[in-house]
Amino acid sequence: SQQGEEDPQALSIQEGENATMNCSYKTSINNLQWYRQNSGRGLVHLILIRSNEREKHSGRLRVTLDTSKKSSSLLITASRAADTASYFCAEPNDMRFGAGTRLTVKP
Amino acid sequence: DTGVSQDPRHKITKRGQNVTFRCDPISEHNRLYWYRQTLGQGPEFLTYFQNEAQLEKSRLLSDRFSAERPKGSFSTLEIQRTEQGDSAMYLCASSLPGRNSYNEQFFGPGTRLTVL
């Protein structure tokens, strides 16, 4: 079974809109990492949020973490066509991934 | 470019043939992971090494699969007697756990295997 489960499975938006995707996990975590994967490529680390952090920003990305609800969210603001990819969450010491959220940003 | 390289990037083979993939991790990383990914799914863990020791293997890693990391640097993943169900992207990642690290995994570009 997966540790991180992403939701929704697919998301389609227009360029310029914001995209929000969620991650829920089953057990306690130390840190949570978000990745992006372009079609046919490897995963690229986006942002890591530590268990004692509630929110973290990096450019157009905002990640929140709610350890009481065992959930995290990734917000991409002012989306671009180049943001089209699959997004995954995972605990760095865990080797289990969910199916990801497939984001499509239409120009 | 994350610094993790994989070779080849693409491999097409006939059913029953053996294939071998190579992964070169980031040089100072002592952990190396192999994953398999099929279309529309997330990476599935296969195995991982700490230096040259193989510490964990998934039940997905059947007897036809073997992985090595002989000198604690690069690793190879061999699939014997390939089957069409082995067609997938094979991803390698490396990390450096430690007191000042969160053990983030850095992924290579993957090797796409097609078994005809």
Side-chain angles (χ1 to χ4, degrees), chain B residues 12-28:
Chain B
I12 300 174
T13 190
K14 292 183 179 179
R15 188 177 53 180
Q17 298 294 305
N18 299 344
V19 294
T20 300
F21 309 140
R22 176 179 170 125
C23 171
D24 286 89
I26 294 172
S27 59
E28 62 268 27

Side-chain angles (χ1 to χ4, degrees), chain A residues 6 33-38 40-46 86-90 97-98, chain B residues 1-2 4 6 35 37 41-43 89 91-93 105-110:
Chain A
E6 297 86 359
Q33 193 167 353
W34 281 90
Y35 293 90
R36 184 188 73 222
Q37 184 180 35
N38 291 88
R41 312 292 289 272
L43 278 71
V44 175
H45 163 75
L46 285 178
S86 291
Y87 293 82
F88 298 91
C89 64
F97 287 82
Chain B
D1 183 2
T2 63
V4 179
Q6 292 187 245
Y35 294 86
Q37 187 179 26
Q41 299 299 313
M89 175 79 88
L91 295 166
C92 172
Q105 294 185 33
F106 293 83
F107 282 79

Side-chain angles (χ1 to χ4, degrees), chain A residues 37 40 42-43 50 92-93 95 98, chain B residues 37 42 45 89 102-103 107-108:
Chain A
Q37 184 180 35
L43 278 71
R50 295 177 289 182
N93 288 301
M95 281 75 80
Chain B
Q37 187 179 26
F45 168 73
M89 175 79 88
Y102 296 106
N103 197 34
F107 282 79

Side-chain angles (χ1 to χ4, degrees), chain A residues 30-35 45-53 55-58 61 63-65 72 74 90-93, chain B residues 101-106:
Chain A
N30 292 321
N31 309 289
L32 194 74
Q33 193 167 353
W34 281 90
Y35 293 90
H45 163 75
L46 285 178
I47 192 167
L48 180 144
I49 186 166
R50 295 177 289 182
S51 58
N52 61 355
E53 296 177 316
E55 187 170 313
K56 195 165 183 179
H57 296 252
S58 176
L61 305 180
V63 170
T64 62
L65 182 64
S72 174
L74 170 67
E91 208 279 345
N93 288 301
Chain B
S101 163
Y102 296 106
N103 197 34
E104 299 101 305
Q105 294 185 33
F106 293 83

Side-chain angles (χ1 to χ4, degrees), chain A residues 1-3 14 17 35 37 46 48 54-55 59 61-62 66 69 73 76 91 107:
Chain A
S1 62
Q2 292 85 11
Q3 167 70 309
Q14 294 294 134
E17 295 180 339
Y35 293 90
Q37 184 180 35
L46 285 178
L48 180 144
R54 291 296 167 260
E55 187 170 313
L61 305 180
R62 181 172 77 100
D66 187 335
K69 295 181 179 178
S73 67
I76 304 174
E91 208 279 345

